[in-house]
Amino acid sequence: MVEFAAFGLAALSLLVLWQTLKQLRVSSETQSRAYVAIKDGRITRFSPPKPKSSTPVLVYLIRLENVGQTPAQRLTAATNIFAAEEPDVENWRNMTRDSAEESLGPTHLRELETEITARTWARLQDELKGMSKGKLFFFGYADYFDVFGKRHFTEFCLQPPTGWNNGPCVLLMSDRGNSAGLMSDRGNSAG
């Protein structure tokens, strides 16, 4: 009977040790993995459209940064501009993915520069006319894997500066890097 109790105590001790090691591994991964977050966004050029001009009406720059301790691997990112009355997460469904997959090391930046043509600007202005309180918003995401092989997403929305002046945009929302499953729930999957 004493041997059976000793065996049971040893088994229980092993189970507790296994659970503790499992929690330590999860904690270590959480502390040391990549976290891709939006650093800032800004308009770098805005000029009213001119007839028959191929010059972009608007150029905006979004900068993403890996604020984690290890590289973000197989990073893809995209951004786009949408007319809406309020920031709407549904707009992410319409974005085209940036095809480049790359690694983004700790403290490194990835810049996404987007040009808006006169045709796109005219379409956006037409959409705004149909809204009572319409505004333009920049939406974007980063899709990446950490060094442990787990997939993560960062989604964000910015509002351009008042008057479309060259300068910083206002960050309206961001999940700060790191939800699992958001983009895959919308049917976008990375390889």
Side-chain angles (χ1 to χ4, degrees):
M1 187 71 157
V2 172
E3 292 174 359
F4 183 72
F7 176 76
L9 186 59
L12 181 61
S13 296
L14 284 174
L15 181 63
V16 168
L17 178 62
W18 180 75
Q19 288 293 333
T20 302
L21 291 175
K22 185 176 165 185
Q23 286 293 357
L24 284 172
R25 190 197 73 200
V26 168
S27 177
S28 174
E29 285 181 11
T30 301
Q31 290 176 2
S32 63
R33 77 172 182 81
Y35 285 88
V36 175
I38 184 165
K39 182 167 180 71
D40 60 26
R42 64 185 316 102
I43 292 179
T44 57
R45 187 170 70 232
F46 176 73
S47 56
K50 297 179 175 98
K52 299 182 182 180
S53 172
S54 61
T55 303
V57 173
L58 172 69
V59 178
Y60 65 95
L61 179 71
I62 304 288
R63 295 189 317 159
L64 301 170
E65 181 179 22
N66 180 358
V67 295
Q69 297 180 13
T70 55
Q73 300 173 336
R74 295 171 52 195
L75 171 71
T76 59
T79 184
N80 210 339
I81 186 170
F82 294 97
E85 292 192 10
E86 292 296 327
D88 182 2
V89 76
E90 293 299 314
N91 287 320
W92 279 305
R93 292 183 180 186
N94 302 319
M95 277 194 296
T96 54
R97 181 182 297 268
D98 175 354
S99 61
E101 287 192 357
E102 61 187 60
S103 181
L104 185 65
T107 72
H108 291 153
L109 295 173
R110 165 90 186 272
E111 294 185 341
L112 305 169
E113 187 173 72
T114 304
E115 295 181 348
I116 303 301
T117 64
R119 177 184 287 175
T120 301
W121 185 257
R123 179 185 54 78
L124 289 166
Q125 296 307 308
D126 286 344
E127 289 177 16
L128 287 173
K129 287 176 188 171
M131 300 177 195
S132 61
K133 297 179 183 179
K135 301 174 195 156
L136 295 178
F137 299 97
F138 302 128
F139 288 90
Y141 71 85
D143 175 356
Y144 60 98
F145 288 84
D146 63 26
V147 294
F148 306 104
K150 294 182 180 155
R151 188 174 180 197
H152 302 279
F153 305 96
T154 299
E155 298 174 309
F156 55 86
C157 175
L158 298 114
Q159 188 169 14
T162 306
W164 293 94
N165 298 323
N166 292 356
C169 297
V170 177
L171 181 63
L172 298 178
M173 63 181 159
S174 172
D175 67 11
R176 297 294 298 167
N178 305 302
S179 317
L182 292 178
M183 292 300 291
S184 61
D185 292 343
R186 294 191 185 100
N188 296 321
S189 60

